Amino acid sequence: MSPIPLRRGALAVTVATATLVACSVPAAASAYPDKAPKPDFTLTVLHANDLESALLPITGTDGGTYGGADRFVELIQQQQELATKGEPGPGQAGKRGVITISAGDNFLPGAQLAASEESGLPIYDATAFAAAGFDVSAIGNHDFDLGPDFLGQYLEDLGTSTTFVSGNLGFAEEPALLAQVEDGTIVTSHVERIKGEEIGIIGLTTDQLPQLTSLGDVTVDPDLAGIANAQAAAYAAAGVDKVILVSHLQDIDNEELLAGQLRGVDIIVGGGGHELLADPGDPLVPNGTTVYDSYPIDATDADGETVPIVTTAALYTYVGRLVVTFDKEGELLQIHEDLSRPIPVAAQGPDAVEPDAAVREQVVEPVQEYVAGLAEEVVATSEVALNGIRNDVRSIETNLGNLVADSLLAVGQREAEEAGIEPPVVALQNGGGIRNASVLPAGPITALDTYTALPFVNFVAVAPAVPVETFIAVVEHGLGGGVEDGVLQPAGQFGQAAGYRVSYDPTQEVGSRIVDLVLDDGTVLVEDGVATGVFDTISVATIDFLLRGGDGYPFGGVDFTVLPITQQEAFEIYLTEDLGGRVTAADYPEGGEGRITVAMPAAG
């Protein structure tokens, strides 16, 4: 690879020759050239992001074993030791150190996180995270998914071994997190001291956080560049000459855009996008993840200087390793490309490691047992087969689609009072979010079935004041798939319905297909294709993914409240509590009950 242009005319090193190449220096009054900067400190940055409670190992497309918290911990501990072991390599300084960083989303609701709920032990994710020895972490959007109190409990279980750096979030109104601020676990800035060197850490979380998760009363400052630049300047004034930004901005493109506005930041570690950065020849996990860009990405800051950006794929499948060398003035001299890469967490191949025995015993084995138990846990019995066939839930009303939509409506109505919002009267679930792609046979429904049907970590959300014209457009969008021979074709946007009935004409243009739209209480919103204007707004329950525009849904920026309940949890609650563990053929007949019908042509 070609030499990387580094900051302020520093030196660069080619991987092939490890030869120092001086950049051109303008003519000076002195007859003696300035001395070339010398390596003073080599830093290995070990990093991960979006671990998301993927504590159990997976099987790759090659049949091999990858990921798992136990192998991840073993690998990262090995890399921590190797970073300063042996003689320095070409271009490295004699003084070497290592820092281990997470870019957030350290856990995620789902079957594996649920294993901690009744264990009576510290949260398994916290146990694994502590064993990995992370020095610092950003806070991700999913870290709030179960609300600020759960995040507070996670941090309590984790202890104070990791410093969580957040420059743009405010916690004064959330007691569980304010306690973590007061004991120094959550800080606005942090200096990590390594071998006598000071590394200033800046932490940022996406300013879209209120639309992404269950934030409670946590506040978000959107001025990301202003906050980062002010903190970098404060570090410089204090003599801290090496700065790392740890950010969770949802997409590495956002880190690249932000980099162009920054001054004084040497390295950016990003998270939230799950992008895999790698170079040709790097060993990779064979799980279908495609390479997004090279490792690292070379961004340009506001002063025209190069800032390396790193991130890596999610779910305990990689440890990222960036090795850099600074001079005595804190200028970045070299990125050691021969050492910098994503390292797969694997049971085979050149990077193979054995599982960490303690993490396997304390985390992986009990979580495996819990997940296996879900397959044995019967949460309901159905008198009727429940249709989740992929093309059906994406094109017609099905009884499984009705069940899922009803669960969103029921939970939304139950939680509305506590949330201080208008209870929903209708609900909608996109067919593309129902993923079991099969018929659940009549008989027992297990807890694992609920996760299989609804694997995505979407949350129940309520928009309490949707303009009726917007709701009509939403229902239209759910019927807006392609049509062949007068028949609506499967599309992920298809809307399974609760609280209303709609008839539509698939021969009409998209956006003009609704013939009649009637609420369950008899209120007519559309009659013969014409909106009645009977009232102005309606409260709608759905999943947060759709309210944010997922699957192209035109909610148009309406205000909504995300409830701390996943759609899977809502489904299970509805089966066990609302239905008393019994799905009847009378309530959920095969073929549906006429909630979504094709309008019959008028007699001519």
Side-chain angles (χ1 to χ4, degrees):
M1 302 178 72
S2 60
I4 297 177
L6 301 179
R7 299 184 58 188
R8 286 181 280 280
L11 300 183
V13 175
T14 61
V15 175
T17 63
T19 301
L20 293 176
V21 180
C23 296
S24 59
V25 179
S30 170
Y32 300 95
D34 292 335
K35 291 183 178 180
K38 294 181 179 180
D40 181 68
F41 178 58
T42 295
L43 178 65
T44 296
V45 180
L46 300 176
H47 61 94
N49 51 274
D50 306 283
L51 300 174
E52 297 185 358
S53 296
L55 299 167
L56 302 183
I58 60 172
T59 301
T61 55
D62 64 345
T65 300
Y66 299 91
D70 47 2
R71 280 192 171 84
F72 177 90
V73 167
E74 179 65 26
L75 177 60
I76 209 165
Q77 289 179 345
Q78 288 183 8
Q79 290 299 317
Q80 288 163 345
E81 181 178 356
L82 289 172
T84 57
K85 188 176 182 179
E87 293 297 318
Q92 292 189 12
K95 181 169 53 177
R96 291 173 291 163
V98 58
I99 186 170
T100 307
I101 297 174
S102 168
D105 279 2
N106 297 319
F107 56 85
L108 185 76
Q112 296 187 47
L113 181 59
S116 297
E117 291 180 2
E118 299 177 4
S119 70
L121 299 171
I123 296 168
Y124 291 126
D125 297 84
T127 300
F129 194 84
F134 285 98
D135 298 300
V136 296
S137 178
I139 300 177
N141 57 291
H142 285 309
D143 296 327
F144 290 102
D145 278 350
L146 293 180
D149 287 349
F150 185 88
L151 174 56
Q153 183 60 59
Y154 169 84
L155 296 175
E156 184 72 24
D157 289 352
L158 182 60
T160 57
S161 58
T162 303
T163 301
F164 286 74
V165 188
S166 176
N168 71 314
L169 303 183
F171 307 99
E173 302 302 319
E174 286 293 345
L177 296 179
L178 183 59
Q180 299 298 320
V181 173
E182 291 172 345
D183 75 6
T185 298
I186 300 175
V187 298
T188 56
S189 65
H190 173 70
V191 175
E192 188 77 13
R193 292 171 173 83
I194 305 171
K195 299 291 184 68
E197 299 293 321
E198 294 186 327
I199 315 295
I201 307 297
I202 301 170
L204 297 175
T205 306
T206 173
D207 59 356
Q208 298 300 306
L209 201 59
Q211 288 77 50
L212 295 175
T213 187
S214 301
L215 199 54
D217 291 322
V218 174
T219 60
V220 183
D221 189 334
D223 185 15
L224 304 183
I227 291 168
N229 284 332
Q231 187 59 60
Y235 284 141
V240 177
D241 57 11
K242 290 172 279 292
V243 176
I244 299 175
L245 168 63
V246 187
S247 53
H248 192 95
L249 304 187
Q250 298 297 100
D251 187 321
I252 202 65
D253 290 346
N254 293 327
E255 270 85 3
E256 289 190 74
L257 289 172
L258 180 62
Q261 305 172 58
L262 301 182
R263 289 183 167 87
V265 172
D266 295 294
I267 296 167
I268 299 175
V269 179
H274 298 204
E275 297 93 351
L276 176 59
L277 307 182
D279 296 317
D282 288 344
L284 302 177
V285 172
N287 62 353
T289 302
T290 58
V291 175
Y292 180 81
D293 206 336
S294 60
Y295 185 104
I297 294 172
D298 300 327
T300 303
D301 72 7
D303 294 324
E305 296 164 356
T306 296
V307 178
I309 301 177
V310 292
T311 189
T312 194
L315 311 179
Y316 285 98
T317 53
Y318 288 93
V319 172
R321 182 180 66 197
L322 177 70
V323 184
V324 297
T325 292
F326 297 89
D327 69 10
K328 193 172 183 179
E329 303 303 319
E331 303 299 337
L332 189 58
L333 291 182
Q334 181 182 350
I335 299 169
H336 298 275
E337 293 190 5
D338 53 338
L339 299 175
S340 299
R341 66 178 176 96
I343 306 172
V345 179
Q348 56 283 310
D351 297 304
V353 293
E354 292 297 320
D356 179 271
V359 175
R360 181 165 185 80
E361 179 182 357
Q362 296 170 16
V363 176
V364 171
E365 289 178 352
V367 173
Q368 282 177 327
E369 182 178 357
Y370 176 83
V371 172
L374 291 177
E376 302 297 327
E377 180 186 348
V378 176
V379 297
T381 299
S382 179
E383 299 176 354
V384 60
L386 300 173
N387 184 4
I389 293 173
R390 185 178 191 274
N391 283 353
D392 288 352
V393 295
R394 292 168 178 242
S395 61
I396 59 174
E397 173 192 349
T398 76
N399 55 358
L400 180 58
N402 288 347
L403 263 174
V404 173
D406 284 349
S407 71
L408 298 178
L409 182 58
V411 168
Q413 290 174 337
R414 182 182 294 116
E415 297 289 323
E417 182 177 356
E418 183 175 347
I421 56 177
E422 183 72 19
V425 296
V426 294
L428 179 141
Q429 166 69 46
N430 63 317
I434 301 173
R435 307 292 288 192
N436 57 305
S438 65
V439 173
L440 294 177
I445 301 172
T446 69
L448 191 59
D449 287 332
T450 69
Y451 284 104
T452 301
L454 300 169
F456 296 137
V457 188
N458 298 311
F459 284 78
V460 182
V462 175
V466 178
V468 169
E469 61 267 25
T470 299
F471 175 64
I472 294 170
V474 162
V475 178
E476 281 277 9
H477 182 75
L479 300 168
V483 173
E484 293 183 12
D485 298 326
V487 177
L488 188 67
Q489 298 300 296
Q493 71 198 58
F494 183 82
Q496 299 286 342
Y500 66 93
R501 295 172 184 263
V502 60
S503 65
Y504 73 101
D505 183 349
T507 66
Q508 298 301 307
E509 293 184 0
V510 173
S512 300
R513 291 178 175 172
I514 294 177
V515 177
D516 296 300
L517 177 58
V518 183
L519 303 185
D520 282 355
D521 67 2
T523 303
V524 178
L525 301 186
V526 178
E527 186 173 16
D528 293 331
V530 179
T532 62
V534 64
F535 49 73
D536 296 328
T537 64
I538 186 170
S539 182
V540 180
T542 183
I543 54 176
D544 59 333
F545 171 71
L546 299 188
L547 284 165
R548 296 187 182 100
D551 263 349
Y553 267 88
F555 277 100
V558 299
D559 291 334
F560 60 91
T561 297
V562 179
L563 303 175
I565 299 173
T566 68
Q567 60 181 147
Q568 177 275 327
E569 290 171 330
F571 186 38
E572 185 169 332
I573 290 169
Y574 184 69
L575 290 171
T576 57
E577 297 183 12
D578 295 83
L579 299 184
R582 183 167 175 252
V583 180
T584 67
D587 289 335
Y588 294 98
E590 290 189 40
E593 54 178 307
R595 299 184 188 187
I596 306 170
T597 57
V598 176
M600 298 298 292

